[in-house]
Amino acid sequence: MHNLIQWKSGMAAMLFSVMVSLSSIHPVLSAEVPNKSYVALNPEQGQVLWLQTGLSPAILSFNGQTGALEHSLALQHEATQLIMGFTPDGFKVARLEAAGLSILHRTGKSLRRLAIANLPQPASRYRPMTAITNATGTAQLFHDTQTPQLQVLHTGNGKILATVALPKARLLALGLDATMNKLAYVTANVAGKTDKADLQIYDLFKNKLIKTYSIQAPSPFSQPVVFSWDGKYVAVLPQVINLQTAEQITVKDATGSAVFTTDHQALLFASRQGMQRFDLARKQQQALDWQLPADCQTTVAEDMSVDQQQLVFASLCTPAANSLAVVSFVNAQTGQWQRNLNLAKP
């Protein structure tokens, strides 16, 4: 009996060791599935679209005036795939999978699949999770996970528009400007300073590196590099960098969702104290009162209308709230708040 107990204990220990070893090689797949929220304006029907990723991704269509839920579509999805958000036109969804980039219509129909070289396996491990595109969505930026290089892909025909070699350093963030003139990449500091990183601006037309800026290191792929519409500034929160003078300004308590106004005057961003406006000329930060309910304060997504006249910011509500989220409509040129729309719970 004693020997039997010893044998069972030994087998249990061995099985536990094997399980630990296997988990280090193949992490539990459910942990690979990101859960993110995306919002988009549907210019065709005046709707607000909500995309929830995770194990059971779905597209919810809400009335743009009342916030009532008008349609819900569960997406066919596998845990090995990565949903990267809506395309800028609000009609389609980008999804990464083993075969490459799939473009889905908002009805769930697959429109095309574009080959992407050297994706991680499974594709759900690719970072950043959210697509990096130009303003129209005709180009998307990818990094090769095996070769240190970036590729700009045409999202219509799959053609590689540009290839940019990367330094041999850890990649932390990516960005592409509205007109696809420039791209940005942030890599770990080559001198080994863990709190510093190198922001590099690359001119795609001249095919050369323009300048490198030493900045505070962001968490890996926690945010994109956001260009101002005139290309004179970039935001890598909490820093705003003037690309012409190299001046760096640190905004307070930034948490994400940085968007420059189209008049080139301000940066709107989310903070722990709510939405903020940073005046680029005066270098002053101002808290914005968008009349959000107390239980709907966490801004999780944003979108720009196709005509670039409106911005929307989506603030997720707590489970106890009466709404799924509150969508704030903002004048894209001035950053002036216009109205809130409560999205009904499904």
Side-chain angles (χ1 to χ4, degrees), residues 261-263 266 268 276-277 286 288-291 309-313 328-340:
T261 56
T262 59
D263 65 0
L268 306 180
Q276 305 280 319
R277 184 183 193 275
Q286 174 190 5
L288 300 174
D289 182 12
W290 287 356
Q291 302 179 26
Q309 297 299 307
Q310 269 191 328
L311 280 167
V312 289
F313 291 84
S328 300
F329 288 76
V330 178
N331 183 301
Q333 182 176 12
T334 64
Q336 182 69 35
W337 174 77
Q338 297 170 329
R339 66 184 177 100
N340 286 338

Side-chain angles (χ1 to χ4, degrees), residues 271-290:
S271 80
R272 288 188 288 271
Q273 281 71 45
M275 291 301 300
Q276 305 280 319
R277 184 183 193 275
F278 180 77
D279 188 297
L280 296 171
R282 299 178 180 178
K283 302 172 188 174
Q284 294 178 347
Q285 183 172 327
Q286 174 190 5
L288 300 174
D289 182 12
W290 287 356

Side-chain angles (χ1 to χ4, degrees), residues 180-192:
M180 213 187 76
N181 289 330
K182 299 181 182 70
L183 64 77
Y185 49 94
V186 179
T187 54
N189 182 262
V190 292

Side-chain angles (χ1 to χ4, degrees), residues 51-59 73-78 83 95:
L51 171 60
Q52 189 67 51
T53 69
L55 291 172
S56 302
I59 298 175
L73 173 70
L75 292 175
Q76 296 296 319
H77 184 69
E78 298 177 7
I83 295 176
R95 183 175 67 190

Side-chain angles (χ1 to χ4, degrees), residues 5-19:
I5 293 173
Q6 281 188 325
W7 180 82
K8 286 184 176 179
S9 299
M11 284 296 294
M14 183 177 71
L15 286 171
F16 178 78
S17 175
V18 170
M19 289 171 68

Side-chain angles (χ1 to χ4, degrees), residues 46-170:
Q47 294 175 316
V48 173
L49 304 181
W50 183 270
L51 171 60
Q52 189 67 51
T53 69
L55 291 172
S56 302
I59 298 175
L60 307 179
S61 301
F62 295 90
N63 186 293
Q65 296 300 317
T66 67
L69 179 62
E70 296 183 335
H71 187 257
S72 176
L73 173 70
L75 292 175
Q76 296 296 319
H77 184 69
E78 298 177 7
T80 56
Q81 299 170 334
L82 176 66
I83 295 176
M84 306 187 80
F86 288 109
T87 57
D89 60 12
F91 287 107
K92 300 178 285 293
V93 170
R95 183 175 67 190
L96 208 56
E97 49 197 51
L101 178 68
S102 281
I103 305 297
L104 310 176
H105 191 267
R106 66 174 186 274
T107 59
K109 179 183 178 181
S110 178
L111 299 177
R112 55 189 174 274
R113 182 179 293 123
L114 311 171
I116 305 291
N118 297 331
L119 288 174
Q121 295 299 325
S124 58
R125 293 182 180 176
Y126 179 85
R127 297 297 181 269
M129 291 189 288
T130 301
I132 305 291
T133 71
N134 60 344
T136 60
T138 56
Q140 185 167 337
L141 180 62
F142 287 93
H143 71 93
D144 190 315
T145 58
Q146 295 183 19
T147 306
Q149 66 178 12
L150 302 175
Q151 291 187 329
V152 182
L153 178 82
H154 191 289
T155 56
N157 57 29
K159 180 182 178 181
I160 301 299
L161 302 175
T163 299
V164 177
L166 290 172
K168 292 182 179 180
R170 187 181 186 188

